[in-house]
């Protein structure tokens, strides 16, 4: 479906709109992704702001978009969802979704690095930051992250040092 030309998707706009109201999360996300791919980003975003659940569906939709420029086109809205005014679940998913946005990866690194300090967001932030090429990582931010991660390692009990989130953090 998402590989179809935008014009063909736009011709099925009503079906895509209806799918964003489905009882099934995957169908809702595909509906949002279809709207975005059809050039209806503004309408998809407007619907996504109706509730936290709709926002989560929209964020999942961004990951489904087949073209990097389509995913990158949603970046500013994703970044806006990192604000403290949004629920934790939305902020976590926004952090995760930035991993599939290829544009402005250096800025993504700088934006998400502070989230590593917060245990609530650390796992999502670390996993997204791992996807940023090392040549795009600002040395000053990287140095602060190293200090933070060393403290995290020292404070982590030995029994928890083999968990996936801890190992991911140490890879960063």
């Amino acid at each position: 479906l998402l590989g179809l030309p935008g014009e063909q998707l736009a011709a099925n706009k009503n079906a895509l709109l209806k799918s964003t109201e489905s009882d099934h999360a995957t169908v809702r996300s595909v509906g949002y992704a279809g709207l975005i791919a059809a050039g209806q980003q503004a309408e998809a975003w407007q619907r996504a702001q109706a509730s936290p659940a709709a926002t989560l569906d929209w964020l999942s939709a961004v990951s489904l978009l087949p073209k990097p420029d389509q995913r990158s086109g949603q970046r500013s809205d994703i970044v806006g969802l990192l604000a403290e005014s949004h629920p934790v679940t939305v902020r976590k998913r926004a952090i995760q979704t930035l991993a599939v946005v290829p544009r402005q990866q250096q800025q993504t690194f700088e934006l998400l690095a502070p989230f590593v300090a917060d245990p609530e967001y650390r796992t999502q932030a670390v996993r997204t930051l791992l996807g940023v090429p090392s040549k795009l990582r600002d040395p000053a931010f990287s140095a602060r992250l190293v200090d933070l991660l060393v403290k995290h390692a020292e404070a982590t009990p030995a029994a928890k040092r083999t968990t996936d989130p801890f190992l991911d953090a140490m890879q960063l």
Side-chain angles (χ1 to χ4, degrees), residues 10 13 16 21 69 85-86 89 93 142 145 161-162 167:
K13 178 181 173 183
L16 293 170
E21 300 169 358
D69 62 317
S85 59
H86 294 285
T89 54
R93 183 76 59 84
S142 295
L145 274 177
R161 290 183 187 165
T162 58
L167 294 174

Side-chain angles (χ1 to χ4, degrees), residues 74-112:
Q74 312 314 304
R75 188 180 190 284
S76 64
D77 292 328
I78 297 167
V79 169
L81 295 172
L82 297 174
E84 290 184 22
S85 59
H86 294 285
V88 170
T89 54
V90 169
R91 295 176 79 200
K92 284 182 176 183
R93 183 76 59 84
I95 291 168
Q96 291 171 317
T97 304
L98 281 171
V100 301
V101 176
R103 187 181 300 154
Q104 299 177 324
Q105 288 186 315
Q106 182 174 351
Q107 290 85 348
T108 295
F109 186 82
E110 295 171 8
L111 180 68
L112 296 184

Side-chain angles (χ1 to χ4, degrees), residues 34-95:
L35 287 169
I36 295 167
Q40 303 293 317
Q41 298 93 325
E43 187 153 4
W45 177 239
Q46 181 181 4
R47 285 178 164 261
Q49 295 178 78
S51 69
T55 304
L56 292 171
D57 291 336
W58 179 85
L59 285 164
S60 293
V62 173
S63 298
L64 298 175
L65 293 167
K67 297 180 181 174
D69 62 317
Q70 292 172 332
R71 295 189 306 272
S72 291
Q74 312 314 304
R75 188 180 190 284
S76 64
D77 292 328
I78 297 167
V79 169
L81 295 172
L82 297 174
E84 290 184 22
S85 59
H86 294 285
V88 170
T89 54
V90 169
R91 295 176 79 200
K92 284 182 176 183
R93 183 76 59 84
I95 291 168

Side-chain angles (χ1 to χ4, degrees), residues 149-165:
L149 291 170
V150 166
K151 289 176 185 170
H152 171 58
E154 290 171 345
T156 302
K160 293 188 177 187
R161 290 183 187 165
T162 58
T163 64
D164 288 340

Side-chain angles (χ1 to χ4, degrees), residues 134-148:
S134 58
K135 66 182 178 184
L136 297 178
R137 299 176 186 179
D138 180 88
F141 279 93
S142 295
R144 286 194 291 270
L145 274 177
V146 167
D147 291 340
L148 177 71

